[in-house]
Amino acid sequence: MSKGHRSQVKRQRNENKDTRPSATISYARVSVTKACFVLDAIRGKDVNTALAILQYNNRDASRIIYKLLNSAIANAENNNGLKAENLYVAECFANKGPTMKRIHPRAQGRAYRIEKRSSHITVVLDER
């Protein structure tokens, strides 16, 4: 049933761990589809180009992702000792977060449901 001692299991799990610098924001108040439009624009680009795209993009999600990308760059420089000029956006994705359900009153005593969606956004960098 068990696959070995707990320390062996933990050691084995940590060997497969991804060491690339990354940053994650949880419970961002933007829907996954709206965040993915912005993430698709920066995927595979180098860091400076991605920051420029996000800075001049009109969508609301770009402000959130701009801060997230800056955080990932800071993580790469401080934790991994990498230089920002050599970095590019290797992976970026948005996962579905919890949905807040609200009620909007309508005519004749009816009520419509409003769903305020959230997402968990992750940006992973890598060195060229």
Side-chain angles (χ1 to χ4, degrees):
M1 191 167 188
S2 67
K3 297 178 181 174
H5 192 266
R6 183 174 176 196
S7 61
Q8 292 172 329
V9 173
K10 287 174 88 175
R11 193 176 306 117
Q12 199 172 29
R13 191 177 354 153
N14 286 337
E15 285 175 1
N16 301 334
K17 197 169 184 181
D18 194 5
T19 58
R20 297 180 296 180
S22 66
T24 304
I25 181 170
S26 297
Y27 308 105
R29 275 287 291 118
V30 62
S31 70
V32 173
T33 51
K34 290 177 182 178
C36 280
F37 281 123
V38 179
L39 292 172
D40 289 342
I42 65 167
R43 189 174 290 116
K45 305 270 194 308
D46 66 290
V47 167
N48 294 327
T49 307
L51 286 173
I53 289 170
L54 292 172
Q55 193 167 10
Y56 294 106
N57 197 336
N58 234 2
R59 294 182 176 269
D60 273 345
S62 62
R63 284 195 343 265
I64 298 167
I65 297 170
Y66 182 82
K67 290 182 182 181
L68 187 64
L69 183 57
N70 276 327
S71 176
I73 294 167
N75 288 343
E77 290 175 341
N78 293 327
N79 300 343
N80 296 36
L82 303 173
K83 295 195 175 183
E85 302 89 44
N86 303 333
L87 297 174
Y88 75 101
V89 181
E91 287 180 45
C92 53
F93 52 89
N95 294 326
K96 186 172 175 275
T99 302
M100 295 188 290
K101 288 147 182 104
R102 300 292 181 259
I103 299 299
H104 193 257
R106 303 302 290 181
Q108 298 180 352
R110 292 183 177 89
Y112 283 4
R113 174 173 276 181
I114 295 176
E115 294 184 340
K116 301 189 174 203
R117 301 181 189 277
S118 66
S119 58
H120 308 308
I121 306 171
T122 303
V123 173
V124 180
L125 304 179
D126 206 356
E127 200 170 25
R128 283 206 201 269

